[in-house]
Amino acid sequence: MWTKEKKRKLEQSRIDSTRLLADTLLKLENPPSVFVCASAIGFYGNRKDEVLTENSNPGKGFLADLCLKWESEAARVAEKNIRPVMLRIGVVLTPSGGMLQKILPPFELGGGGPIGSGKQYISWIAIDDLVSAIYHCICTPDVKGAVNATAPDSCTNSDFTKSLGKVLHRPTIFPVPELALRLVFGEMAKDTMLSSCRAEPTKLSETGYKFLYPKLEPALKHVLGK
């Protein structure tokens, strides 16, 4: 659950640290040509099935406000002719962390299922593509500003659940009720697990990036070694 203290720590780790880096870069006599900063698709907030590009307006809520301030600090390096890139990172597929690590145990035991209505969109990216996309942004002068670091195959939570169950050869018949999540996690559930974001990697595609894992099921098989 997001307490006031938890929110304060999130702001410090994202906004304050980026401000420090930007201030330092602006003072350098020989600054780097590019500054790549992590952000998140939380920038867009809960947008149901709306297709979102880097030109879409920010959403509402704590995460959206956090990402907006975070990116604003990174963008300041343009004052020194440093090319700023703000990667709006989606759900990163890796069993070593993030959402996939948390949901794997119940899914492997056959206790997985859709979250809430299951209609909310998940914009995901394989860990291999995230690393490659960062390299692409560093090496491609045309990449500037916000960049959606998401695969071109956004899917609903229900479809994600079915694909993961198929890859693991496990049933997915135990849904997690929305009410239970709201009672346990409060605002955090609303802005993360129950939020819908259909972010398209428009800028990556337009600048020639070729996804290693553009489809969900092959991506899950790869990261899980199946």
Side-chain angles (χ1 to χ4, degrees):
M1 184 172 289
W2 283 338
T3 61
K4 288 184 178 180
E5 178 62 17
K6 178 65 173 178
K7 287 183 176 180
R8 185 185 67 82
K9 288 182 178 180
L10 286 170
E11 289 173 343
Q12 283 183 331
S13 64
R14 271 73 170 176
I15 301 169
D16 293 354
S17 60
T18 304
R19 181 182 300 124
L20 175 61
L21 287 170
D23 286 342
T24 302
L25 292 174
L26 289 171
K27 294 174 183 177
L28 295 178
E29 291 185 9
N30 297 300
S33 61
V34 59
F35 175 46
V36 178
C37 174
S39 181
I41 57 171
F43 175 92
Y44 300 111
N46 187 354
R47 305 289 276 270
K48 297 184 179 179
D49 61 352
E50 178 184 355
V51 177
L52 302 163
T53 72
E54 290 86 354
N55 292 323
S56 298
N57 293 326
K60 297 179 180 179
F62 171 70
L63 274 186
D65 291 342
L66 174 67
C67 291
L68 183 60
K69 295 174 183 176
W70 191 1
E71 292 183 14
S72 296
E73 291 296 337
R76 291 192 300 116
V77 302
E79 299 171 16
K80 195 83 172 184
N81 292 321
I82 301 170
R83 177 167 56 91
V85 177
M86 290 79 78
L87 281 169
R88 293 175 183 165
I89 302 172
V91 175
V92 182
L93 298 187
T94 171
S96 301
M99 185 189 83
L100 189 57
Q101 182 191 46
K102 290 180 175 62
I103 67 174
L104 266 181
F107 269 79
E108 289 176 328
L109 292 172
I115 294 174
S117 69
K119 295 179 181 179
Q120 65 272 30
Y121 271 84
I122 296 175
S123 294
W124 58 272
I125 186 169
I127 184 69
D128 308 64
D129 271 312
L130 176 58
V131 174
S132 297
I134 292 171
Y135 183 75
H136 173 80
C137 290
I138 292 172
C139 298
T140 309
D142 290 340
V143 180
K144 184 178 181 180
V147 176
N148 288 341
T150 58
D153 186 33
S154 296
C155 62
T156 64
N157 176 267
S158 179
D159 288 337
F160 184 95
T161 297
K162 291 176 183 176
S163 291
L164 182 56
K166 183 177 179 182
V167 169
L168 294 174
H169 303 291
R170 295 291 187 275
T172 54
I173 58 175
F174 297 98
V176 181
E178 179 176 333
L179 179 60
L181 291 171
R182 289 184 180 274
L183 288 173
V184 175
F185 297 104
E187 182 184 6
M188 179 181 174
K190 178 175 70 71
D191 279 6
T192 56
M193 293 171 274
L194 299 172
S195 184
S196 181
C197 182
R198 192 177 182 181
E200 296 292 313
T202 304
K203 197 169 290 187
L204 284 177
S205 298
E206 289 179 348
T207 56
Y209 181 74
K210 303 298 182 184
F211 280 86
L212 301 170
Y213 299 97
K215 296 294 184 180
L216 178 60
E217 191 172 324
L220 286 171
K221 287 181 178 179
H222 169 69
V223 299
L224 295 175
K226 299 296 183 178

